[in-house]
Amino acid sequence: MSNLCFAFGPDNSYLCNSPAKWTRHNLPPAVEKLFTKQPPIKDIYELVIGPSGSYYIGYLGSDNKVYCMNNGLPVHLTKWLSTNAKGFVNNDIRTTSITLGPNGSYVARDKNQMEWCGVPTDLAERLSRFGTHRTRLVSLGIDDSYVVVNTDGSGLRNLKGRFPNLEKLLAGMPNFGNVHYLSLSSYPSISATDNVDDPLFMLVMKNGGFDSLVPEGHEERFSVVTSSLPNLQTPARPPVRSPAQASSNSGSSFLKVLSGVAKAAKVANQVLNAANGGGAGYSNDNSGGGGFDTSGFQAGLQQQAWSTASDVASDPIQ
């Protein structure tokens, strides 16, 4: 394994993947089979988990060939991921990155192109302005929240008040240049007592520091993976928190890791009141636009029933 991938889906489903270890829970059956078959897959390039069993996964098979599968995604995203006349997928699987937001919104990109649909207006304008090659990281989250990081270290965020600990960390950074990876959840988490809790997230810095909010009761499983994050430069590491623990631990340990950077300046307030907008477009560094119909995917989202996940993957963490 060589890639970072932290995917959060409904019903506390997740994949936690680092260069050395992975763990998972409650994945769609077709995706789970990739891990349990013999021999199993070797690496994951990207996984996203949507409502009603929808997903995309790009992976390296046991035969060292690159594959991808998807099911139930918004129609225009499915088209973006489709094969051409020669039977090859149009996107570059190794560099494909997809983030799913609420109500069928998404941003999908690879090394050559980027497409988005249903995202807030401010984010759509940012994506159009910076284009494919100057957009380094995008993550959509619950209630139309988002973070975008550009190659020059600049960025834009609107977390809608749903990720308070993450907001505090990002606000303390002079820029986002040291952010290596970020994944926001578009779903509330479910506590051990079936209560609806805060949405999950995983933030990984280039120096190996991290902060996160993970499903209650799964902290140890995540800790095994995060202990092997690349480029570890600091001995002090924050504990992996569940939503129940977040109120008593605001991420101060992680802030200490960043203190040398944060002393320089605090980022200007970039939280904008983005309209719930329907920004849609395509970029290969020549921006375009268009309205995409996501009504079918939205219907699936509305039908999604919340329940407590119970079938933890039983085979050992690899």
Side-chain angles (χ1 to χ4, degrees), residues 118-157:
V119 302
T121 301
D122 290 340
L123 175 57
E125 292 175 353
R126 182 86 178 193
L127 296 175
S128 181
R129 181 157 59 94
F130 278 79
T132 305
H133 297 121
R134 292 196 294 153
T135 301
R136 184 165 64 84
L137 184 157
V138 187
S139 188
L140 304 178
I142 196 169
D143 292 345
D144 287 319
S145 57
Y146 65 86
V147 176
V148 58
V149 177
N150 299 110
T151 53
D152 61 0
S154 66
L156 186 70
R157 71 184 189 277

Side-chain angles (χ1 to χ4, degrees), residues 11-72:
D11 300 330
N12 285 2
S13 57
Y14 64 77
L15 171 76
C16 181
N17 179 58
S18 76
K21 300 177 184 294
W22 64 36
T23 186
R24 64 196 188 279
H25 177 249
N26 206 25
L27 297 180
V31 177
E32 178 64 21
K33 286 180 181 179
L34 297 175
F35 295 89
T36 57
K37 71 176 185 177
Q38 295 299 322
I41 61 177
K42 289 186 174 182
D43 201 1
I44 302 126
Y45 299 115
E46 176 70 306
L47 173 66
V48 289
I49 312 167
S52 305
S54 59
Y55 66 85
Y56 167 85
I57 184 170
Y59 64 94
L60 180 66
S62 58
D63 56 0
N64 290 318
K65 294 181 180 180
V66 175
Y67 299 91
C68 66
M69 302 191 312
N70 70 84
N71 177 66

Side-chain angles (χ1 to χ4, degrees), residues 48-243:
V48 289
I49 312 167
S52 305
S54 59
Y55 66 85
Y56 167 85
I57 184 170
Y59 64 94
L60 180 66
S62 58
D63 56 0
N64 290 318
K65 294 181 180 180
V66 175
Y67 299 91
C68 66
M69 302 191 312
N70 70 84
N71 177 66
L73 297 173
V75 60
H76 285 276
L77 177 55
T78 300
K79 183 178 180 180
W80 191 83
L81 294 166
S82 64
T83 57
N84 58 31
K86 295 183 179 180
F88 297 101
V89 293
N90 294 312
N91 57 299
D92 179 73
I93 297 174
R94 288 183 176 86
T95 61
T96 291
S97 174
I98 299 172
T99 177
L100 299 177
N103 302 317
S105 60
Y106 68 85
V107 179
R109 60 197 181 92
D110 65 10
K111 65 181 182 179
N112 300 313
Q113 57 189 334
M114 178 168 60
E115 180 175 283
W116 59 91
C117 176
V119 302
T121 301
D122 290 340
L123 175 57
E125 292 175 353
R126 182 86 178 193
L127 296 175
S128 181
R129 181 157 59 94
F130 278 79
T132 305
H133 297 121
R134 292 196 294 153
T135 301
R136 184 165 64 84
L137 184 157
V138 187
S139 188
L140 304 178
I142 196 169
D143 292 345
D144 287 319
S145 57
Y146 65 86
V147 176
V148 58
V149 177
N150 299 110
T151 53
D152 61 0
S154 66
L156 186 70
R157 71 184 189 277
N158 190 338
L159 295 177
K160 303 285 186 175
R162 298 304 305 269
F163 301 87
N165 293 317
L166 178 61
E167 174 65 36
K168 184 180 296 185
L169 295 175
L170 296 179
M173 299 179 191
N175 58 62
F176 296 154
N178 197 36
V179 173
H180 176 52
Y181 183 91
L182 175 63
S183 177
L184 305 177
S185 176
S186 294
Y187 311 93
S189 60
I190 307 298
S191 73
T193 55
D194 293 350
N195 292 322
V196 176
D197 265 325
D198 292 335
L200 311 175
F201 74 88
M202 175 62 71
L203 171 70
V204 180
M205 307 301 291
K206 289 182 178 179
N207 63 8
F210 73 94
D211 199 69
S212 63
L213 201 62
V214 305
E216 185 178 358
H218 294 250
E219 298 87 353
E220 184 175 354
R221 294 172 65 89
F222 272 73
S223 291
V224 169
V225 177
T226 55
S227 65
S228 63
L229 291 174
N231 302 321
L232 302 182
Q233 298 176 354
T234 56
R237 307 183 63 80
V240 176
R241 298 191 311 275
S242 70

